[in-house]
Amino acid sequence: MRKILVLAAVAAGIAGSAQAADITGAGATFPFPIYSKWAEAYKKEAGVGLNYQSIGSGGGIRQIKAKTVAFGATDAPLKGEDLSKDGLIQFPTVMGGVVPAVNIAGVEPGKLKLSGEIIAQIYLGDIKKWNDPKIAALNAGLTLPDANINPVYRSDGSGTTFVFTDYLSKVSADWKSKIGANTAVQWPVGIGGKGNEGVSASVKQVANSIGYVEYAYAKQNKLSHALVKNADGNFPAPEEKAFQAAAANANWSEQPGFGISLNNQKGAEAWPITSATFILVHAKPEKPEEVQAALKFFDWAYKGGDKLASDLDYVALPANVKDQVRNAWKGVTDNAGKPIF
């Protein structure tokens, strides 16, 4: 299938008009719905706005390295050596799930069942029809069309792509050897959409398509989604308890900057494509007051934003992890070497 680039409007500039006191951030589209909700509530309570550009994780990493924003946001955590090299501190904010969104006439949300191996074969171009015997075998009683599958992928540097391809690399040796996991990969087939917004729009517009989006986007855009076989062989619904189950045994101190993978975790109810999303700030910022304002915002979110996160089907961090993050913030210092939080 010929690759087609689909451009979508990038969501940007939330929680009121930009003011000098506004906090600036840019990056991942995965958490944009919850950052938007938090910003709206924080503006009313603290009088400080947030100007967050939902441009993708790759863009967020570039902007924080260029020091054009107070914080960058990424779903693909940076490795310890990269954090040290660029003088960055990384911490998670919330967790969520990535779901296969589908547009198949007559197939209601949660009725189609897929395995990770099948999804990998679809995106490799090896499974081309919705009524392929491998798909039909998982979906007895479901009428699937004799129609070509139209895969949709992210065209921009994307942490959601990293989460999705990391999952496929864990469940498919073929995918791991041919494509691998990264924020941008060489897709063998499909059409591209920019941001979770662009993929959602493409799936909605293109018949017989499949894409991958953060669950809140699928829900808000009323997209049909498929269930995915987890490591225990079950097909849990993508919902808060399934994302929590995936993180139940997580060891957040295992990697520098809390950069662990929650994909394909054991657990009867665990959603197999689950991820935290991360914030990046400079350990020694040139404008410490701006980073201090950002940390105050996220501290407020940790204390009072869990319900808003849950309403959008994100999962709040455990209280002990929030405390670990606050402790990590002590590494952010002003020009005199004094912690700013």
Side-chain angles (χ1 to χ4, degrees):
M1 185 183 297
R2 183 170 63 91
K3 293 183 183 180
I4 305 168
L5 180 64
V6 178
L7 296 178
V10 175
I14 60 180
S17 59
Q19 300 173 6
D22 282 359
I23 301 161
T24 60
T29 64
F30 179 109
F32 176 74
I34 184 56
Y35 291 175
S36 179
K37 282 292 184 184
W38 282 347
E40 184 181 352
Y42 191 67
K43 176 79 170 181
K44 291 177 182 176
E45 186 172 317
V48 178
L50 171 66
N51 180 10
Y52 180 74
Q53 300 175 57
S54 177
I55 59 173
S57 296
I61 292 169
R62 285 192 295 274
Q63 288 213 21
I64 190 63
K65 286 183 177 180
K67 303 179 180 180
T68 57
V69 289
F71 70 87
T74 177
D75 303 323
L78 296 187
K79 296 184 182 299
E81 55 265 32
D82 294 320
L83 295 172
S84 297
K85 181 185 69 175
D86 292 302
L88 297 171
I89 285 179
Q90 174 177 270
F91 59 90
T93 52
V94 291
M95 298 173 287
V98 175
V99 300
V102 297
N103 180 356
I104 310 168
V107 175
E108 297 177 1
K111 296 300 183 184
L112 177 68
K113 294 179 178 179
L114 298 172
S115 67
E117 181 62 36
I118 285 174
I119 297 170
Q121 288 182 285
I122 288 172
Y123 275 90
L124 286 169
D126 296 333
I127 291 180
K128 304 179 189 298
K129 297 268 191 177
W130 278 118
N131 64 349
D132 184 281
K134 291 182 180 179
I135 300 177
L138 288 180
N139 293 279
L142 186 65
T143 302
L144 294 167
D146 180 20
N148 290 330
I149 301 173
N150 295 311
V152 182
Y153 58 83
R154 285 283 291 273
S155 60
D156 52 330
S158 157
T160 308
T161 292
F162 172 80
V163 173
F164 185 65
T165 56
D166 176 67
Y167 166 69
L168 295 182
S169 294
K170 289 179 185 296
V171 297
S172 167
D174 208 20
W175 182 273
K176 184 176 182 180
S177 65
K178 292 180 179 179
I179 309 296
N182 213 326
T183 54
V185 298
Q186 291 296 315
W187 299 96
V189 294
I191 58 177
K194 191 171 185 179
N196 271 284
E197 303 91 342
V199 172
S200 297
S202 294
V203 171
K204 210 167 188 176
Q205 294 164 6
V206 179
N208 300 307
S209 58
I210 180 172
Y212 56 93
V213 296
E214 199 281 320
Y215 180 58
Y217 284 87
K219 191 172 183 179
Q220 289 173 9
N221 288 282
K222 297 180 171 57
L223 297 176
S224 183
H225 65 270
L227 300 183
V228 183
K229 188 176 182 179
N230 70 10
D232 281 26
N234 299 325
F235 292 88
E239 55 189 3
E240 186 172 3
K241 69 176 183 179
F243 305 147
Q244 286 175 328
N249 299 313
N251 179 7
W252 291 93
S253 60
E254 184 178 48
Q255 297 292 335
F258 307 91
I260 60 173
S261 171
L262 301 175
N263 275 326
N264 206 39
Q265 295 292 315
K266 290 283 187 180
E269 295 185 329
W271 181 254
I273 321 175
T274 301
S275 175
T277 189
F278 300 87
I279 295 297
L280 297 165
V281 297
H282 283 280
K284 296 180 180 179
E286 292 179 354
K287 298 178 180 178
E289 68 282 358
E290 293 184 0
V291 177
Q292 183 182 54
L295 296 184
K296 285 181 178 178
F297 168 74
F298 288 112
D299 182 58
W300 171 90
Y302 282 170
K303 291 174 179 174
D306 289 1
K307 176 64 166 58
L308 290 173
S310 179
D311 289 346
L312 289 173
D313 298 288
Y314 294 91
V315 177
L317 298 175
N320 67 313
V321 178
K322 293 177 183 177
D323 288 339
Q324 290 176 44
V325 169
R326 291 186 180 101
N327 190 56
W329 289 347
K330 294 177 183 177
V332 184
T333 60
D334 61 17
N335 296 330
K338 181 181 177 182
I340 65 173
F341 184 87

